Amino acid sequence: ADGGGISNSFPGRIVHNELDHNYVFCEQGIASGGGLSGFTAQDPATPAMMISGNTVTHNKVVSNTMGPIGAVAGGMEVYGFNVLVSNNLISHNEVISANDASYGAGVVLDFPDTGVIFQNNVVSHNIFSGTGGCLGGAIAIWDGDARVFNNILSHNQASKGAGIYITIENTISRPHIINNTISMNEATVAGGGIYTNGSEPTTMNSILWKNLAPAGPEIFVDGGTIFVSY
């Protein structure tokens, strides 16, 4: 079940919409994209999709499954290549799951190439609840090389990576995280600001401040290498 407000798998533009109080539920599988799900092909030649100027708030994804993945992307899920996500407000969304492998209370970027650009967005106050956990509070990057520029990521919650959670499946994830403010996020396990799992992200010119976690309140590295400068 995906896309509480909009589920779109075509090139084009999703701009200046209000997507609020939508609800996605799946009893035996993955629930994803409480406000919005945008899918493109995993092909560098795929036509572009633009998601810009939207307000995505107070949406929920709920999954009761105990399978490998539960609830995904309380606010927005972006899957594939050549997507520009800019100037959106993504806040007060929620992932509710009985599964510890749930992802992205705010946003999930699935298998993004370098043509997926996430910039000038505010992602705040996204949370998780239920008996399971959540990997990624503001953003979860799954197996890809997205460009994450000039965003404010604050007051989000997750088990690991309350600001940003980065992981791999088939290839090394090498996202660029540049000019972001990542502050006042809280992880219940590790990585209040950034949690990287077997990946090689680059972080530059960013502020990581006052994030909370029992381990690695600002940055937690679980295998792989993170490159940090300025």
Side-chain angles (χ1 to χ4, degrees):
D2 71 88
I6 296 175
S7 179
N8 182 67
S9 57
F10 299 95
R13 296 181 295 173
I14 301 172
V15 298
H16 303 304
N17 302 284
E18 294 186 10
L19 305 171
D20 63 90
H21 293 89
N22 298 290
Y23 180 83
V24 176
F25 172 77
C26 196
E27 181 70 37
Q28 294 293 332
I30 299 172
S32 65
L36 166 67
S37 290
F39 295 84
T40 64
Q42 286 186 275
D43 179 348
T46 189
M49 180 186 296
M50 175 188 290
I51 302 171
S52 182
N54 302 287
T55 300
V56 184
T57 62
H58 298 96
N59 302 287
K60 293 182 180 181
V61 289
V62 182
S63 175
N64 287 339
T65 185
M66 295 303 293
I69 301 177
V72 175
M76 177 187 301
E77 180 183 21
V78 174
Y79 186 110
F81 290 4
N82 289 343
V83 185
L84 172 62
V85 183
S86 65
N87 300 296
N88 300 283
L89 172 63
I90 304 161
S91 70
H92 295 90
N93 301 290
E94 185 175 6
V95 162
I96 304 172
S97 181
N99 191 320
D100 282 330
S102 291
Y103 295 86
V107 176
V108 172
L109 306 178
D110 275 322
F111 304 100
D113 76 334
T114 56
V116 174
I117 300 173
F118 189 88
Q119 67 180 18
N120 301 329
N121 302 285
V122 175
V123 187
S124 69
H125 297 89
N126 299 287
I127 65 172
F128 78 99
S129 61
T131 57
C134 180
L135 306 176
I139 304 172
I141 301 173
W142 183 275
D143 205 24
D145 304 331
R147 277 26 187 168
V148 180
F149 302 150
N150 305 319
N151 303 284
I152 296 173
L153 313 177
S154 68
H155 295 92
N156 300 284
Q157 297 177 10
S159 305
K160 299 177 180 179
I164 302 177
Y165 178 87
I166 306 158
T167 192
I168 63 172
E169 181 173 320
N170 301 312
T171 61
I172 296 294
S173 291
R174 295 187 175 94
H176 282 61
I177 301 164
I178 299 174
N179 295 341
N180 298 282
T181 297
I182 305 171
S183 67
M184 294 179 282
N185 302 288
E186 183 173 2
T188 59
V189 177
I194 296 173
Y195 187 110
T196 176
N197 177 21
S199 303
E200 297 180 357
T202 295
T203 300
M204 296 177 60
N205 296 339
S206 293
I207 296 170
L208 285 91
W209 177 76
K210 212 173 182 179
N211 298 290
L212 299 174
E218 300 301 342
I219 298 175
F220 189 92
V221 179
D222 183 7
T225 303
I226 186 170
F227 304 94
V228 181
S229 60
Y230 302 99

